[in-house]
Amino acid sequence: MTARDKLTFAVTGMGCEGCVDVIENAVMPMTCVAYVGISLSGGTMTVRPGPGFDPVAMVSRIVALGYGVDEAPVEGNRSNACPCTRPAAVGPEGLR
Ligand SMILES: [Zn+2]
């Protein structure tokens, strides 16, 4: 892995597409984040850092929403139950 290309974070608490929307909407507007993609089935969030990327600020936004995320990027998959009450079909689109 060269410079800061993409970072993957394990996110706990996501269980449906509502969770994905909530987290994306929280992280996407951050100027230090160039891109965010969330894998619902994998329980991961892939971030392309922008200028002055601040993982602590990013994490605190997500934690404030009721999810768990580690500041340290990880490899691997998690699967979790979710705390949101939005009924949504969980599709297999994130499976790899
Ligand atoms: Zn949910």
Side-chain angles (χ1 to χ4, degrees):
M1 183 164 161
T2 54
R4 290 181 147 186
D5 191 12
K6 283 189 199 168
L7 301 172
T8 299
F9 298 86
V11 180
T12 59
M14 289 193 302
C16 75
E17 291 175 19
C19 298
V20 172
D21 286 347
V22 163
I23 295 174
E24 279 185 351
N25 288 339
V27 174
M28 202 84 86
M30 298 183 75
T31 54
C32 68
V33 174
Y35 165 84
V36 58
I38 295 174
S39 168
L40 178 58
S41 60
T44 56
M45 175 177 70
T46 300
V47 174
R48 179 167 295 160
F53 178 60
D54 185 348
V56 175
M58 184 188 71
V59 163
S60 64
R61 282 197 180 207
I62 297 168
V63 169
L65 295 168
Y67 301 96
V69 59
D70 198 325
E71 289 166 22
V74 297
E75 300 292 336
N77 293 325
R78 304 269 181 97
S79 96
N80 305 287
C82 83
C84 94
T85 55
R86 180 162 156 176
V90 175
E93 75 274 357
L95 290 173
R96 266 169 218 160

